[in-house]
Amino acid sequence: AQLLEERLHEVLGLTAGNNPDSIGSEQDLNEYLDGIAELLRPVAARRGLAIHAEAPAERVMLDTGLLTPVLVNLAANAIAATHQGMVRLSAQVTENDGTSWTVADSGSGLPAAVAAAFASAEYHDGTAPGMSGLGLGLTLVLANLQALGGRLRVVSTSSTGTELQITLPPCRQTGVWRRVRTSSVNQP
């Protein structure tokens, strides 16, 4: 039952990409990230873990329909891989008005081969070697990051856990934003 509920949280996050109201909306960075942490807090608590979110209270344009599934999936994976300690979510606005996101855990880190495969996206069916699951989560994470124009970097050591760093350009530079803007210009 617990595994099913954890997977349900992932699916809820993954299906958030189907919400047309969330495309290119202005969000308070701190409130948005707190919402992600709150969604996953019950799952973390059942595993005896804390989940913390930290971000400035700045308003930014975010494509939450694509970003939410990325953060939920990566944070759910971090919770599943951590046996004690915490998962930390953080965000900040970058110099070019883009955003930077971090999902970090206090687990034992990824084996070197898995970290390399994860970082280079060279795995079969979206599942990194040595990881269980259907592979759908990671596949959708990478597809959403590509649609957002984002990059993923993996930092993992056996002594400090795993840290996943995402950098995104300003929302207005993504294909989704241009499509929304273009469609509104073509209306009479």
Side-chain angles (χ1 to χ4, degrees):
Q2 182 178 340
L3 180 61
L4 181 59
E5 185 174 348
E6 290 173 9
R7 293 299 164 214
L8 178 61
H9 280 287
E10 289 180 38
V11 169
L12 288 173
L14 294 172
T15 59
N18 296 323
N19 181 356
D21 297 330
S22 66
I23 296 175
S25 61
E26 187 175 312
Q27 301 285 323
D28 179 286
L29 202 56
N30 187 45
E31 288 177 12
Y32 172 72
L33 200 58
D34 279 345
I36 300 291
E38 192 61 33
L39 175 70
L40 295 166
R41 193 160 276 122
V43 177
R46 275 194 299 282
R47 294 187 51 86
L49 303 172
I51 184 164
H52 298 287
E54 49 191 66
E58 292 186 47
R59 297 199 67 78
V60 295
M61 292 297 292
L62 296 175
D63 185 339
T64 58
L66 290 172
L67 181 58
T68 298
V70 169
L71 296 174
V72 168
N73 186 268
L74 295 178
N77 287 344
I79 290 167
T82 304
H83 301 293
Q84 64 180 15
M86 64 175 268
V87 172
R88 180 180 52 83
L89 309 175
S90 63
Q92 60 186 359
V93 178
T94 60
E95 290 180 16
N96 66 354
D97 291 328
T99 52
S100 173
W101 305 83
T102 301
V103 176
D105 65 53
S106 59
S108 58
L110 294 173
V114 173
F118 192 106
S120 67
E122 293 175 2
Y123 33 79
H124 307 285
D125 300 328
T127 305
M131 298 179 81
S132 62
L134 299 174
L136 294 174
L138 193 51
T139 299
L140 289 171
V141 162
L142 295 172
N144 284 9
L145 283 177
Q146 183 177 14
L148 290 165
R151 292 180 299 146
L152 175 67
R153 181 171 165 248
V154 179
V155 178
S156 181
T157 66
S158 60
S159 61
T160 61
T162 300
E163 183 173 299
L164 304 172
Q165 301 169 344
I166 299 166
T167 54
L168 299 176
C171 185
R172 66 182 176 275
Q173 293 181 357
T174 67
V176 172
W177 179 263
R178 280 195 297 273
R179 187 168 61 240
V180 169
R181 214 173 91 213
T182 301
S183 66
S184 65
V185 169
N186 293 333
Q187 294 178 356

mmCIF file of all heavy atoms in Angstrom, residues 50-69:
data_model
loop_
_atom_site.group_PDB
_atom_site.id
_atom_site.type_symbol
_atom_site.label_atom_id
_atom_site.label_comp_id
_atom_site.label_asym_id
_atom_site.label_seq_id
_atom_site.Cartn_x
_atom_site.Cartn_y
_atom_site.Cartn_z
ATOM 1 N N ALA A 50 12.847 13.994 6.849
ATOM 2 C CA ALA A 50 12.368 15.375 6.778
ATOM 3 C C ALA A 50 12.507 15.829 5.323
ATOM 4 O O ALA A 50 13.381 15.357 4.602
ATOM 5 C CB ALA A 50 13.203 16.270 7.681
ATOM 6 N N ILE A 51 11.640 16.734 4.907
ATOM 7 C CA ILE A 51 11.782 17.346 3.594
ATOM 8 C C ILE A 51 11.718 18.862 3.792
ATOM 9 O O ILE A 51 10.801 19.370 4.440
ATOM 10 C CB ILE A 51 10.723 16.834 2.585
ATOM 11 C CG1 ILE A 51 10.977 17.423 1.203
ATOM 12 C CG2 ILE A 51 9.322 17.082 3.062
ATOM 13 C CD1 ILE A 51 10.238 16.692 0.091
ATOM 14 N N HIS A 52 12.731 19.550 3.310
ATOM 15 C CA HIS A 52 12.837 21.001 3.483
ATOM 16 C C HIS A 52 12.847 21.682 2.125
ATOM 17 O O HIS A 52 13.442 21.172 1.169
ATOM 18 C CB HIS A 52 14.129 21.368 4.223
ATOM 19 C CG HIS A 52 14.212 20.816 5.604
ATOM 20 N ND1 HIS A 52 13.470 21.314 6.652
ATOM 21 C CD2 HIS A 52 14.934 19.793 6.122
ATOM 22 C CE1 HIS A 52 13.734 20.619 7.745
ATOM 23 N NE2 HIS A 52 14.625 19.682 7.447
ATOM 24 N N ALA A 53 12.202 22.824 2.067
ATOM 25 C CA ALA A 53 12.205 23.628 0.851
ATOM 26 C C ALA A 53 12.711 25.017 1.196
ATOM 27 O O ALA A 53 12.322 25.590 2.212
ATOM 28 C CB ALA A 53 10.802 23.708 0.261
ATOM 29 N N GLU A 54 13.584 25.535 0.356
ATOM 30 C CA GLU A 54 14.085 26.893 0.582
ATOM 31 C C GLU A 54 14.233 27.612 -0.752
ATOM 32 O O GLU A 54 14.850 27.105 -1.687
ATOM 33 C CB GLU A 54 15.410 26.870 1.350
ATOM 34 C CG GLU A 54 16.441 25.919 0.784
ATOM 35 C CD GLU A 54 17.624 25.708 1.695
ATOM 36 O OE1 GLU A 54 17.420 25.134 2.787
ATOM 37 O OE2 GLU A 54 18.731 26.110 1.306
ATOM 38 N N ALA A 55 13.580 28.768 -0.809
ATOM 39 C CA ALA A 55 13.631 29.588 -2.013
ATOM 40 C C ALA A 55 13.262 31.014 -1.628
ATOM 41 O O ALA A 55 12.513 31.222 -0.671
ATOM 42 C CB ALA A 55 12.664 29.063 -3.068
ATOM 43 N N PRO A 56 13.760 31.980 -2.365
ATOM 44 C CA PRO A 56 13.397 33.365 -2.065
ATOM 45 C C PRO A 56 11.939 33.630 -2.443
ATOM 46 O O PRO A 56 11.383 32.953 -3.317
ATOM 47 C CB PRO A 56 14.353 34.182 -2.941
ATOM 48 C CG PRO A 56 14.714 33.274 -4.063
ATOM 49 C CD PRO A 56 14.690 31.878 -3.485
ATOM 50 N N ALA A 57 11.338 34.601 -1.804
ATOM 51 C CA ALA A 57 9.956 34.986 -2.111
ATOM 52 C C ALA A 57 9.979 35.969 -3.278
ATOM 53 O O ALA A 57 9.665 37.133 -3.135
ATOM 54 C CB ALA A 57 9.290 35.597 -0.882
ATOM 55 N N GLU A 58 10.360 35.454 -4.426
ATOM 56 C CA GLU A 58 10.409 36.269 -5.642
ATOM 57 C C GLU A 58 9.382 35.738 -6.622
ATOM 58 O O GLU A 58 9.176 34.531 -6.723
ATOM 59 C CB GLU A 58 11.794 36.199 -6.287
ATOM 60 C CG GLU A 58 12.878 36.866 -5.485
ATOM 61 C CD GLU A 58 14.198 36.895 -6.247
ATOM 62 O OE1 GLU A 58 14.197 37.261 -7.441
ATOM 63 O OE2 GLU A 58 15.218 36.548 -5.634
ATOM 64 N N ARG A 59 8.758 36.627 -7.370
ATOM 65 C CA ARG A 59 7.784 36.219 -8.377
ATOM 66 C C ARG A 59 8.505 36.021 -9.705
ATOM 67 O O ARG A 59 9.246 36.887 -10.149
ATOM 68 C CB ARG A 59 6.673 37.250 -8.495
ATOM 69 C CG ARG A 59 5.920 37.337 -7.153
ATOM 70 C CD ARG A 59 4.559 37.944 -7.254
ATOM 71 N NE ARG A 59 3.580 37.187 -7.994
ATOM 72 C CZ ARG A 59 2.913 36.115 -7.559
ATOM 73 N NH1 ARG A 59 3.171 35.637 -6.360
ATOM 74 N NH2 ARG A 59 2.012 35.515 -8.302
ATOM 75 N N VAL A 60 8.259 34.855 -10.297
ATOM 76 C CA VAL A 60 8.884 34.511 -11.571
ATOM 77 C C VAL A 60 7.852 33.827 -12.458
ATOM 78 O O VAL A 60 6.873 33.272 -11.976
ATOM 79 C CB VAL A 60 10.113 33.582 -11.392
ATOM 80 C CG1 VAL A 60 11.231 34.284 -10.641
ATOM 81 C CG2 VAL A 60 9.730 32.300 -10.676
ATOM 82 N N MET A 61 8.096 33.857 -13.758
ATOM 83 C CA MET A 61 7.265 33.113 -14.703
ATOM 84 C C MET A 61 7.770 31.678 -14.727
ATOM 85 O O MET A 61 8.962 31.443 -14.944
ATOM 86 C CB MET A 61 7.355 33.733 -16.096
ATOM 87 C CG MET A 61 6.717 35.105 -16.216
ATOM 88 S SD MET A 61 4.932 35.105 -15.915
ATOM 89 C CE MET A 61 4.356 34.194 -17.336
ATOM 90 N N LEU A 62 6.867 30.733 -14.485
ATOM 91 C CA LEU A 62 7.212 29.312 -14.497
ATOM 92 C C LEU A 62 6.203 28.542 -15.323
ATOM 93 O O LEU A 62 5.011 28.828 -15.279
ATOM 94 C CB LEU A 62 7.209 28.733 -13.078
ATOM 95 C CG LEU A 62 8.213 29.260 -12.079
ATOM 96 C CD1 LEU A 62 7.950 28.628 -10.712
ATOM 97 C CD2 LEU A 62 9.627 28.979 -12.538
ATOM 98 N N ASP A 63 6.680 27.566 -16.032
ATOM 99 C CA ASP A 63 5.803 26.613 -16.706
ATOM 100 C C ASP A 63 5.624 25.458 -15.723
ATOM 101 O O ASP A 63 6.316 24.452 -15.785
ATOM 102 C CB ASP A 63 6.423 26.140 -18.019
ATOM 103 C CG ASP A 63 5.493 25.248 -18.805
ATOM 104 O OD1 ASP A 63 4.564 24.666 -18.184
ATOM 105 O OD2 ASP A 63 5.681 25.115 -20.011
ATOM 106 N N THR A 64 4.696 25.631 -14.794
ATOM 107 C CA THR A 64 4.518 24.635 -13.735
ATOM 108 C C THR A 64 3.992 23.309 -14.270
ATOM 109 O O THR A 64 4.223 22.271 -13.671
ATOM 110 C CB THR A 64 3.591 25.162 -12.630
ATOM 111 O OG1 THR A 64 2.327 25.511 -13.205
ATOM 112 C CG2 THR A 64 4.204 26.382 -11.951
ATOM 113 N N GLY A 65 3.301 23.348 -15.399
ATOM 114 C CA GLY A 65 2.802 22.114 -15.989
ATOM 115 C C GLY A 65 3.915 21.172 -16.393
ATOM 116 O O GLY A 65 3.761 19.954 -16.336
ATOM 117 N N LEU A 66 5.043 21.718 -16.797
ATOM 118 C CA LEU A 66 6.199 20.889 -17.143
ATOM 119 C C LEU A 66 7.160 20.728 -15.971
ATOM 120 O O LEU A 66 7.774 19.680 -15.807
ATOM 121 C CB LEU A 66 6.946 21.492 -18.341
ATOM 122 C CG LEU A 66 6.226 21.423 -19.679
ATOM 123 C CD1 LEU A 66 6.983 22.216 -20.735
ATOM 124 C CD2 LEU A 66 6.048 19.987 -20.123
ATOM 125 N N LEU A 67 7.299 21.777 -15.161
ATOM 126 C CA LEU A 67 8.279 21.741 -14.070
ATOM 127 C C LEU A 67 7.827 20.879 -12.886
ATOM 128 O O LEU A 67 8.629 20.145 -12.314
ATOM 129 C CB LEU A 67 8.589 23.161 -13.603
ATOM 130 C CG LEU A 67 9.621 23.295 -12.490
ATOM 131 C CD1 LEU A 67 10.964 22.672 -12.896
ATOM 132 C CD2 LEU A 67 9.801 24.756 -12.114
ATOM 133 N N THR A 68 6.571 20.948 -12.526
ATOM 134 C CA THR A 68 6.089 20.196 -11.358
ATOM 135 C C THR A 68 6.367 18.699 -11.469
ATOM 136 O O THR A 68 6.892 18.098 -10.521
ATOM 137 C CB THR A 68 4.593 20.473 -11.109
ATOM 138 O OG1 THR A 68 4.430 21.862 -10.823
ATOM 139 C CG2 THR A 68 4.057 19.640 -9.950
ATOM 140 N N PRO A 69 6.067 18.061 -12.606
ATOM 141 C CA PRO A 69 6.378 16.627 -12.691
ATOM 142 C C PRO A 69 7.864 16.327 -12.536
ATOM 143 O O PRO A 69 8.231 15.301 -11.978
ATOM 144 C CB PRO A 69 5.894 16.231 -14.089
ATOM 145 C CG PRO A 69 4.956 17.291 -14.506
ATOM 146 C CD PRO A 69 5.358 18.543 -13.796
#
